Amino acid sequence: MITNVTDKIKYIGVDDLDIDLFESQYVVPNGVSYNSYLILDDKVAIMDTVDSRKSDEWLDNLDRALEGRKPDYLVVQHLEPDHAGTIDRVMARYPAMQVVASERAVRMLPQFFYDVDFEGRTIAVKEGGTLSLGGRTLHFVMAPMVHWPEVMVTYDDKDKVLFSADGFGKFGALSHDEEWACEARRYYFNICGKYGGPVQTLLKKAAALDIAIICPLHGPILTENLDYYIGLYDTWSRYDIESEGVFVAYASIHGNTAEVARRFADILRAKGAVKVTVADLSRDDMAEAVEDAFRYGKLVVAAASYDSDVFPPMHDFLYHLAIKGYCKRRIGIIENGSWAPSAGRAMRNIIDRFKDVSVIEDVVTIVSRLKPSDIPALERLADEMLAEKCDRCVE
Ligand code: FEO
């Protein structure tokens, strides 16, 4: 697909609608786009390539968009293969073209392309580095760990475009018109969630730029209401709470813990919870569960005991939260066990790795099945979860 971003900037990226799992782990029911752009000024610059899965289609787009011209530069903002997978083929096609990338990226290029001769073909840029294309200058802003260490973003001072690498990206092919926030949030917390600090650093640098258009490497080009998108990124990267609500995540073997979780959710609703979301960690999308854990300020985990530990889907979920830097939330624990309940202790062992969380000390223990005598303990846990209103929520 080729579209005009501005008079001199064309979108030349591709949709991937036949990928089974993005990064071999994320379901993408509406596919994903690998964005790439072409700047046709006095000099011609390509802004990133695409995943090798779609090289042919992208090279065809590039060829048509060039309209007989030849690229002078390939700007590589991010070396992850979903964007860098066609560097070798485009370099071979245009032998005079130079690759412009951060110093770290230039050092890393041979790791991915050991059989490409980069001698004399790279320009390493630093923070504040520039590249004149004639009618405009590209300004390079280093963005390490937004998502990888070699990442940089690029500002076009003529059209006021920020090429934002993975930042402001989302799952979903461009052929699917859908709300931005849902899939952008799932993308953010699962891909960049651990790197809130580096994202904050980048947002502070971006605040000094006059930005009219954001061109990310996934998802739609953002041209309006930029404060909305930047505001959400600010909330997410500060690990602030976006929405008032309680997320109840359960891992149940035979359905008994599921019954407890659903009853607990009903109790929360009856007590006036603004929003209660429930996830079955054995069946629902893990990436969406991670997203919801970050979105809301309160999390209740309910799990069966298993092999003197916790049922693995819950272990997997809490492990995901731990490596993504989960923090600043209120957490309640429900365990189920028929002879030697161990899930509560096992969950707490992982939760203790989270920073700045307040954990309700009284674990609710269910023995095999929910009984009327368990309801008062669930009521008390619900009261504790709802005791504090969120004063940091965006909505
Ligand atoms: Fe879209 Fe970090 O690659």
Side-chain angles (χ1 to χ4, degrees):
M1 178 169 62
I2 301 173
T3 56
N4 287 341
V5 180
T6 68
D7 281 356
K8 303 281 189 186
I9 301 175
K10 292 181 191 293
Y11 176 84
I12 58 168
V14 293
D15 277 353
D16 190 346
L17 290 160
D18 44 36
I19 190 169
D20 60 342
L21 293 170
F22 181 72
E23 290 189 1
S24 297
Q25 59 174 325
Y26 303 115
V27 295
V28 281
N30 293 332
V32 67
S33 68
Y34 311 123
N35 295 352
S36 168
Y37 306 90
L38 183 67
I39 306 175
L40 292 153
D41 207 310
D42 297 342
K43 298 280 189 182
V44 176
I46 304 167
M47 305 300 292
D48 293 292
T49 73
V50 299
D51 195 294
S52 60
R53 293 168 48 81
K54 298 292 174 183
S55 291
D56 290 341
E57 188 180 338
W58 178 76
L59 286 166
D60 183 56
N61 283 354
L62 173 63
D63 191 42
R64 286 186 292 123
L66 280 167
E67 294 179 345
R69 298 183 67 182
K70 286 197 165 38
D72 299 282
Y73 304 108
L74 166 64
V75 177
V76 174
Q77 301 185 109
H78 186 13
L79 257 188
E80 194 163 10
D82 52 331
H83 310 294
T86 313
I87 287 177
D88 49 354
R89 289 185 64 185
V90 75
M91 284 184 71
R93 184 176 286 205
Y94 299 106
M97 182 187 74
Q98 290 202 292
V99 176
V100 181
S102 69
E103 293 179 313
R104 183 73 181 260
V106 168
R107 286 203 306 275
M108 290 171 70
L109 275 166
Q111 296 173 202
F112 290 97
F113 305 102
Y114 62 88
D115 49 358
V116 172
D117 182 5
F118 288 100
E119 187 63 36
R121 296 204 58 188
T122 57
I123 300 172
V125 293
K126 299 180 181 172
E127 177 74 26
T130 59
L131 178 71
S132 173
L133 299 183
R136 74 199 58 225
T137 298
L138 301 181
H139 299 253
F140 301 110
V141 178
M142 299 301 117
M145 300 320 298
V146 183
H147 162 220
W148 276 19
E150 88 300 349
V151 172
M152 66 179 190
V153 301
T154 304
Y155 179 67
D156 172 338
D157 63 5
K158 175 77 167 26
D159 288 337
K160 303 187 188 318
V161 174
L162 180 69
F163 296 93
S164 59
D166 274 340
F168 301 97
K170 70 181 273 295
F171 296 127
L174 296 188
S175 55
H176 280 264
D177 187 16
E178 59 186 3
E179 188 225 355
W180 183 84
C182 185
E183 283 294 70
R185 186 188 301 106
R186 188 168 72 98
Y187 176 90
Y188 175 83
F189 282 115
N190 285 279
I191 307 279
C192 303
K194 180 180 174 64
Y195 307 115
V199 173
Q200 277 287 305
T201 300
L202 177 59
L203 289 178
K204 287 185 175 70
K205 292 180 186 177
L209 302 172
D210 180 13
I211 300 168
I213 299 172
I214 296 175
C215 288
L217 287 178
H218 302 286
I221 296 161
L222 307 176
T223 57
E224 298 176 334
N225 299 325
L226 298 190
D227 286 349
Y228 166 74
Y229 304 107
I230 293 168
L232 279 178
Y233 253 64
D234 187 43
T235 298
W236 297 342
S237 56
R238 288 177 189 276
Y239 303 98
D240 277 351
I241 298 161
E242 182 182 346
S243 304
E244 174 82 54
V246 186
F247 178 44
V248 180
Y250 69 82
S252 181
I253 305 169
H254 298 292
N256 293 319
T257 305
E259 184 186 0
V260 176
R262 288 194 290 265
R263 176 66 73 87
F264 180 68
D266 288 342
I267 291 169
L268 286 168
R269 292 186 188 104
K271 288 178 179 291
V274 172
K275 171 90 177 176
V276 182
T277 300
V278 180
D280 173 355
L281 296 174
S282 297
R283 293 173 180 80
D284 293 335
D285 173 27
M286 183 60 74
E288 185 135 359
V290 169
E291 171 197 347
D292 280 342
F294 279 98
R295 177 175 188 170
Y296 300 105
K298 295 165 182 175
L299 167 68
V300 174
V301 286
S305 301
Y306 192 88
D307 287 346
S308 303
D309 206 293
V310 64
F311 189 40
M314 177 59 77
H315 188 279
D316 191 25
F317 172 61
L318 293 173
Y319 172 75
H320 272 80
L321 294 186
I323 62 172
K324 296 299 175 190
Y326 192 68
C327 61
K328 295 166 73 171
R329 299 295 187 271
R330 186 158 176 78
I331 301 175
I333 300 172
I334 302 171
E335 66 174 355
N336 192 355
S338 291
W339 58 92
S342 55
R345 185 187 67 248
M347 287 189 280
R348 185 64 193 256
N349 283 343
I350 306 174
I351 288 167
D352 282 343
R353 292 168 57 186
F354 302 164
K355 290 204 177 92
D356 196 16
V357 290
S358 75
V359 184
I360 294 167
E361 293 298 331
D362 286 340
V363 172
V364 176
T365 298
I366 306 296
V367 180
S368 301
R369 287 194 63 196
L370 181 68
K371 302 167 192 64
S373 57
D374 296 318
I375 299 301
L378 293 180
E379 297 260 3
R380 283 195 297 278
L381 178 60
D383 288 339
E384 291 246 40
M385 292 305 292
L386 299 177
E388 293 171 15
K389 282 269 180 260
C390 172
D391 57 7
R392 294 182 285 151
C393 292
V394 171
E395 61 178 36

